[in-house]
Amino acid sequence: MLLLAGPAQADELSLARKVKLLIDAYPETLLGSEDGSILFRDGEPALAIDDGKAKDHAQKLASGDIEDSLSQIYPPGPCETRPEVNFDPGRIRSEVLMKRLYGGSAREVEASLVKVDWFGSKLPVTKRQGVAQALEKVRDALKTVPDLKIFLTPSAGTFNWRKVAGASNLSVHSFGAAIDLNTRYADYWVWAGGKPGRVQQRDSQYPMTIVDAFERNGFIWGGRWYHYDTMHFEYRPELLAIAKAAGASACR
Ligand SMILES: [Zn+2]
């Protein structure tokens, strides 16, 4: 059954609570928060949580701050969702924060890449923030179901320092913290002729067992976005922790 997923479905959480869950999700790098800023273990300058600018959805996607990145509650679970217009939980990111978490240049990110065995191929994935280990857990959960392999491999890519297609911000692939599955089963709003804010709905071709295994290990799915990208998964454990605290679910 397809359900409407939107912010109204979940309990409201304060920004302070969300920020605490964000900090807890990246203990390798984040130390805490103080006076409206995130503090870093390596002594890098504190980063403002809210830049104070009013933004529409397109502006949040292009230049989101930490507050913007936590504004939409992601609904996890082994059920499809039918997002409202511009409900793109996780697609809004703070690029400055991502660079602090994974590296500020291709060279810096590359220094932390390791090879993850993915159904016979070796994929470059960052070891920072526990991403490579989390992807290995996803693989181990999914390899017990042989019928799923055709969807999972060949992977259409992991690390790739590049901008989001048609946008000025960096893709999460730039940080080695995302994976695309077999493109044969993929649906992407741009390929479907969609325009920002005006996209045809679709049903995913990937079994929800796959989505569930990723979500249980800290990855969100691009198939939950109004501007969908169904082969795409990225490591965003803070959004799954916030979903749990808010009682958000795709299955109701
Ligand atoms: Zn992708």
Side-chain angles (χ1 to χ4, degrees):
M1 187 179 152
L2 294 166
L3 299 157
L4 202 68
Q9 197 183 11
D11 298 340
E12 285 297 316
L13 288 189
S14 69
L15 179 58
R17 181 94 191 277
K18 291 178 184 175
V19 167
K20 174 76 169 68
L21 293 165
L22 170 74
I23 290 161
D24 291 348
Y26 301 101
E28 175 186 318
T29 300
L30 305 185
L31 182 62
S33 66
E34 191 177 77
D35 299 333
S37 293
I38 300 280
L39 306 178
F40 294 85
R41 288 193 189 279
D42 60 7
E44 285 283 304
L47 181 60
I49 292 162
D50 184 357
D51 61 16
K53 293 177 190 159
K55 302 179 198 108
D56 64 21
H57 190 62
Q59 289 165 330
K60 287 182 185 177
L61 290 170
S63 57
D65 60 18
I66 290 168
E67 181 222 2
D68 298 326
S69 77
L70 305 177
S71 60
Q72 295 183 329
I73 309 268
Y74 180 91
C79 306
E80 272 261 35
T81 44
R82 196 121 305 180
E84 297 164 1
V85 175
N86 289 342
F87 186 65
D88 289 330
R91 201 163 163 254
I92 300 167
R93 309 173 191 95
S94 160
E95 192 164 299
V96 185
L97 179 63
M98 298 298 279
K99 287 179 169 176
R100 297 279 188 94
L101 294 174
Y102 297 109
S105 65
R107 182 174 293 195
E108 272 185 43
V109 174
E110 281 166 0
S112 298
L113 295 178
V114 295
K115 297 283 185 185
V116 169
D117 184 275
W118 188 255
F119 303 91
S121 53
K122 302 275 190 194
L123 306 181
V125 176
T126 183
K127 66 182 176 189
R128 293 196 66 182
Q129 317 304 336
V131 178
Q133 281 183 325
L135 188 60
E136 286 170 350
K137 286 186 187 166
V138 174
R139 174 202 65 206
D140 291 346
L142 293 175
K143 75 180 178 191
T144 62
V145 191
D147 291 352
L148 297 178
K149 193 178 169 186
I150 55 165
F151 299 98
L152 299 167
T153 188
S155 161
T158 50
F159 170 69
N160 184 0
W161 185 269
R162 64 169 168 84
K163 304 227 160 117
V164 174
S168 60
N169 52 312
L170 285 169
S171 158
V172 181
H173 289 281
S174 304
F175 304 108
I179 181 171
D180 292 333
L181 304 185
N182 186 347
T183 188
R184 172 190 287 260
Y185 303 96
D187 295 294
Y188 180 40
W189 67 280
V190 177
W191 297 343
K195 299 277 175 281
R198 197 155 43 84
V199 174
Q200 291 283 330
Q201 295 284 1
R202 50 92 224 149
D203 292 319
S204 172
Q205 302 178 63
Y206 296 99
M208 294 307 291
T209 323
I210 292 175
V211 174
D212 192 42
F214 273 98
E215 289 177 347
R216 285 174 185 276
N217 290 288
F219 291 82
I220 61 162
W221 179 41
R224 301 237 187 261
W225 301 339
Y226 177 74
H227 301 90
Y228 54 81
D229 182 359
T230 64
M231 68 178 166
H232 177 90
F233 291 85
E234 65 183 68
Y235 190 68
R236 300 290 293 285
E238 76 278 23
L239 296 183
L240 292 155
I242 289 169
K244 191 174 175 193
S249 170
C251 301
R252 62 163 107 107

